[in-house]
Amino acid sequence: MTVETPAKPAGTHPTNGATHGAPHKSGLDARIPAGPLAEKWTRFKADMKLVNPTNKRKFRILVVGTGLAGGSAAASLAELGYEVDSFCYQDSARRAHSIAAQGGINAAKNYQNDGDSVWRLFYDTIKGGDFRAREANVYRLAEVSRNIIDQCVAQGVPFAREYGGQLDNRSFGGAQVSRTFYCRGQTGQQLTLGAYQALSRQVNAGRVRMHSRCVFQDLVVIDGKARGIITRDLVTGKLERHAADVVVLATGGYGPVFYLSTNAMGCNVSATFRAHRRGALFANPCFTQIHPTCIPVSGDHQSKLTLMSESLRNDGRIWVPLKKGDHRRPEEIPDNERDYFLERKYPSFGNLAPRDISSRAAKEACDDGRGVGESGLAVYLDFRDAINRLGRDTIAKRYGNLFDMYAHITAEDPYRSPMRIYPAVHYCMGGLWVDYHLMTNIPGLFALGEANFSDHGANRLGASALMQGLADGYFVAPYTITNYLASNKLQPVKTDHDAFKEAEANSRERIDRLLRVRGRKSPNQFHRELGKIIWDKCGMARSRQGLEEALRRLPELRQEFWENVSVPGSGESFNMALDHATRVADFLEFGELMCHDALQRDESCGAHFRVEHQYEDGEAKRNDDQYAYVSAWGYQGEGKAPTLNAEPLVYENVHLAVRSYK
């Protein structure tokens, strides 16, 4: 590797994304437009094929998921004139998990006049992902980020403003500029409401048919193209067929494979994994993000963890006692006996080091015996200095609802004593493989937002998830889906086609199989056991020995699940146990795929930290000669090892470099 380059290179560099010793190339075509990086998206839009406004009414598009990516895509496609069906498993589209995002959304507007630019956002994102993302997709994301803010302001999203009325910005990890727009600690909720309003307008206009309390069961592929889906009504249990010209999956990530995560318990991998079973390649499944600022586990009763926004690290300082076993109250420990370890180890970025680095640093401090709290698995996030400098009122205006949430959960006052935080599973960089058009290797099947792999590499920078979801939904998919429809002569299909019958029969058999077992252990018990294996062996730190052990234990757990799971009730009514069991069944297979991916990628990069591959200072050590590629896995059947296809990552505009935040 070379030393890190400046933020913007003087010119174009030779390609250095070779994959010597890589697995076979599958002929994956990312379909990246020719020309200079900064002109690719403009050229694509200029050259794309169009659909006559009158003809758009002849096409039907199914959008699964109503979060930021799905809601914005459904609204935008309907606004263009397409007939759209929107699906969500919640009782309302606005309850999608995007509402849980807290801290902000990035955009290269340079309102602070501090040197930000599209290039700098692009480079920060490539570097933050440890050079494991596709250049062209990331640059497009940075480019369209500027439009997102204008769109959301026009929708009435109440972004924070400075005294003079201008939109305010704050900093997030992995950046040295202030580019994050925010609504206190409720940014995801406000952005989701903006997308929901746009979607509701189209529902009222009759261009979107809304299907709530409806869960994805299977993808229907006809003549090699995605042409529909099978769903199950959660209330009645009825299986339903839906035919279309395009299927869009915007179903989020798979964090709950770990059981404990900051995700809602309803978040799951089922839609993307079942598309994977139908032939869609799954890319980089082991790239999962650990968020450094979460409320620590408090007992065995928990089913999820609570995120404390990364924005808190703007004014909060993270520390542990210098001495092992120092159990004094934090206010009794003087500054010279505190270790502000992020500021010590990463002086250039300090408490705003990227999430993967900050999480590992916190784990190291706790493993060293200097963790705080009863369990010793926590570090302090301290606002004492900020309150003394700025005043309590200023801190309350910036983070008040987050402080209230912490106090409500822990019965501790963060204005008086430091928060206790510890890393937790938060986001998934892996997802379905997509090309530049956000289309999977199955023509007509598109994946947006966290459901695809395309933009974040091996680690996501804070405030970039909301940016990607809205970029994909508002500003990318409407163009690329139109180009697909105009480029393909699609014959009409009906739901009585044999492919629909076969997919529905498979879905029914899977449900019946679960109901027939009548075992002794609940789906939740299996989910907990699975989560512990994945967290211990494929969590913050991974090793060959641990991953091989996981790959021995997971098939045994999967076999026990199908022999001993208890699912009471029937499939013809509202049945939460059945719904949970179907997700756990998918997680059990998906967990094996994650471990296969983590074992095969014999390097450390970003959040994928193999203990065998680290520098003397403990930082992740990449192997660009052999692993500068996207791992795209093909499904071979239950219990069979997946096949690996590699898409080489070619870097023509940045140097591959040792990622340093010191």
Side-chain angles (χ1 to χ4, degrees):
M1 292 189 212
T2 63
V3 295
E4 188 174 344
T5 58
K8 187 171 183 178
T12 300
H13 302 292
T15 298
N16 51 7
T19 57
H20 306 298
H24 74 279
K25 316 300 185 295
S26 65
L28 292 175
D29 182 6
R31 296 198 293 167
I32 300 171
L37 185 66
E39 298 177 13
K40 291 182 184 296
W41 182 233
T42 300
R43 287 191 177 191
F44 170 82
K45 291 188 290 184
D47 295 340
M48 64 175 279
K49 295 184 178 180
L50 302 176
V51 176
N52 181 288
T54 302
N55 289 339
K56 287 177 181 175
R57 294 194 296 271
K58 301 177 182 178
F59 293 107
R60 181 163 297 281
I61 300 171
L62 310 181
V63 181
V64 185
T66 58
L68 288 183
S72 60
S76 300
L77 291 163
E79 184 76 39
L80 288 173
Y82 296 110
E83 295 295 317
V84 177
D85 284 62
S86 179
F87 301 83
C88 70
Y89 70 81
Q90 300 93 346
D91 57 355
S92 169
R94 66 179 180 179
R95 295 191 66 182
H97 195 57
S98 296
I99 64 168
Q102 296 171 349
I105 176 172
N106 287 330
K109 301 287 272 187
N110 196 30
Y111 282 178
Q112 301 296 321
N113 197 30
D114 57 0
D116 201 10
S117 64
V118 169
W119 173 269
R120 194 173 294 274
L121 175 53
F122 156 73
Y123 186 80
D124 286 348
T125 305
I126 286 283
K127 175 185 172 184
D130 213 354
F131 302 92
R132 289 295 179 262
R134 192 189 288 148
E135 270 192 349
N137 288 63
V138 177
Y139 192 90
R140 177 178 62 190
L141 175 66
E143 184 180 352
V144 304
S145 71
R146 299 170 298 176
N147 301 333
I148 297 170
I149 304 305
D150 298 337
Q151 169 89 359
C152 295
V153 169
Q155 291 175 336
V157 173
F159 287 120
R161 295 180 180 267
E162 297 177 333
Y163 179 77
Q166 299 295 318
L167 295 184
D168 196 13
N169 293 113
R170 55 191 179 197
S171 298
F172 259 60
Q176 291 182 307
V177 297
S178 295
R179 63 164 67 103
T180 304
F181 296 79
Y182 64 97
C183 312
R184 297 183 75 187
Q186 304 172 340
T187 313
Q189 179 178 352
Q190 298 301 329
L191 292 172
T192 302
L193 289 175
Y196 175 70
Q197 290 175 138
L199 178 60
S200 296
R201 177 174 179 269
Q202 299 304 319
V203 172
N204 186 63
R207 289 189 287 266
V208 172
R209 291 191 299 185
M210 193 70 232
H211 306 264
S212 59
R213 303 185 186 93
C214 181
V215 65
F216 181 97
Q217 295 293 303
D218 206 351
L219 176 72
V220 178
V221 179
I222 300 175
D223 297 329
K225 295 181 173 62
R227 298 306 305 268
I229 64 175
I230 305 297
T231 63
R232 180 175 179 270
D233 188 305
L234 286 173
V235 178
T236 66
K238 181 182 179 182
L239 294 177
E240 298 176 337
R241 309 173 187 178
H242 304 272
D245 302 289
V246 165
V247 176
V248 178
L249 297 184
T251 51
Y254 45 86
V257 68
F258 293 87
Y259 189 74
L260 285 178
S261 77
T262 66
N263 294 192
M265 282 296 288
C267 296
N268 61 85
V269 74
S270 289
T272 49
F273 188 71
R274 292 181 190 182
H276 173 59
R277 291 169 67 110
R278 286 290 180 183
L281 297 177
F282 214 109
N284 301 335
C286 79
F287 286 175
T288 51
Q289 182 178 81
I290 312 297
H291 198 295
T293 53
C294 301
I295 297 178
V297 176
S298 61
D300 295 337
H301 62 282
Q302 285 183 261
S303 60
K304 74 176 298 295
L305 297 173
T306 302
L307 174 70
M308 287 283 102
S309 169
E310 183 173 309
S311 63
L312 295 169
R313 293 198 277 153
N314 274 278
D315 291 304
R317 301 179 69 191
I318 296 175
W319 63 277
V320 293
L322 275 173
K323 300 177 182 177
K324 296 181 181 180
D326 190 339
H327 299 303
R328 288 178 291 175
R329 292 181 300 177
E331 57 269 21
E332 296 175 347
I333 303 176
D335 272 7
N336 63 356
E337 295 183 32
R338 300 180 178 189
D339 180 14
Y340 293 92
F341 55 89
L342 290 179
E343 298 172 31
R344 170 175 56 82
K345 295 180 69 173
Y346 309 102
S348 294
F349 285 77
N351 294 295
L352 288 173
R355 291 175 174 177
D356 60 319
I357 289 174
S358 300
S359 294
R360 285 197 295 272
K363 181 180 185 296
E364 289 170 6
C366 293
D367 290 347
D368 190 41
R370 296 184 293 139
V372 302
E374 293 183 8
S375 67
L377 295 177
V379 300
Y380 287 128
L381 177 60
D382 197 339
F383 289 84
R384 180 199 64 184
D385 294 346
I387 291 173
N388 290 340
R389 184 178 70 253
L390 302 171
R392 175 172 171 147
D393 289 346
T394 298
I395 296 301
K397 288 178 181 177
R398 292 178 179 177
Y399 314 110
N401 64 307
L402 296 170
F403 276 49
D404 292 344
M405 183 168 65
Y406 182 88
H408 181 74
I409 292 171
T410 66
E412 298 174 5
D413 184 357
Y415 292 103
R416 294 178 178 272
S417 60
M419 293 182 179
R420 286 177 292 109
I421 58 169
Y422 192 71
V425 175
H426 178 57
Y427 186 87
C428 304
M429 286 77 68
L432 292 182
W433 182 89
V434 293
D435 59 19
Y436 187 77
H437 299 221
L438 304 185
M439 188 166 75
T440 71
N441 59 300
I442 298 178
L445 176 65
F446 292 75
L448 313 184
E450 196 178 357
N452 72 37
F453 86 99
S454 69
D455 292 350
H456 305 298
N459 175 65
R460 177 175 69 79
L461 294 183
S464 290
L466 305 184
M467 174 175 62
Q468 185 206 351
L470 291 180
D472 288 357
Y474 281 138
F475 298 109
V476 179
Y479 288 100
T480 60
I481 290 174
T482 293
N483 183 72
Y484 170 78
L485 291 171
S487 303
N488 290 272
K489 294 182 178 180
L490 299 172
Q491 299 300 319
V493 297
K494 296 183 179 181
T495 57
D496 60 358
H497 191 284
D498 287 345
F500 280 93
K501 295 177 182 177
E502 183 263 339
E504 181 180 337
N506 284 349
S507 299
R508 190 175 304 281
E509 168 55 27
R510 191 170 178 84
I511 291 169
D512 291 343
R513 182 184 175 192
L514 285 166
L515 292 169
R516 286 195 302 265
V517 176
R518 299 296 182 185
R520 295 178 177 273
K521 291 174 64 173
S522 72
N524 199 58
Q525 288 175 282
F526 283 103
H527 197 173
R528 282 183 181 273
E529 292 181 40
L530 168 67
K532 180 167 175 46
I533 294 171
I534 300 296
W535 174 252
D536 289 345
K537 309 303 180 183
C538 197
M540 267 196 284
R542 296 127 184 227
S543 69
R544 173 172 293 276
Q545 179 182 357
L547 291 165
E548 289 176 345
E549 182 182 346
L551 288 171
R552 288 193 298 270
R553 294 173 60 188
L554 288 172
E556 296 171 358
L557 184 63
R558 175 165 46 81
Q559 181 177 348
E560 183 189 357
F561 173 84
W562 285 108
E563 294 174 353
N564 198 31
V565 69
S566 173
V567 184
S570 73
E572 299 174 356
S573 62
F574 185 71
N575 189 335
M576 293 288 287
L578 175 60
D579 185 45
H580 192 187
T582 59
R583 295 172 184 174
V584 175
D586 292 329
F587 277 140
L588 284 165
E589 287 192 75
F590 180 74
E592 291 184 59
L593 179 62
M594 284 180 64
C595 293
H596 276 293
D597 187 38
L599 181 61
Q600 189 279 332
R601 187 170 285 276
D602 196 16
E603 66 163 352
S604 290
C605 57
H608 170 61
F609 189 74
R610 286 282 296 269
V611 297
E612 305 96 333
H613 303 291
Q614 53 185 304
Y615 291 105
E616 291 181 0
D617 60 0
E619 299 297 336
K621 186 177 182 180
R622 294 197 323 267
N623 182 345
D624 293 326
D625 287 339
Q626 291 186 295
Y627 295 102
Y629 58 75
V630 177
S631 298
W633 295 89
Y635 185 76
Q636 297 300 306
E638 184 176 332
K640 297 181 180 179
T643 56
L644 177 60
N645 310 280
E647 178 205 336
L649 290 169
V650 178
Y651 290 94
E652 297 178 337
N653 297 272
V654 299
H655 281 304
L656 284 168
V658 175
R659 189 178 62 148
S660 174
Y661 291 92
K662 296 183 177 181

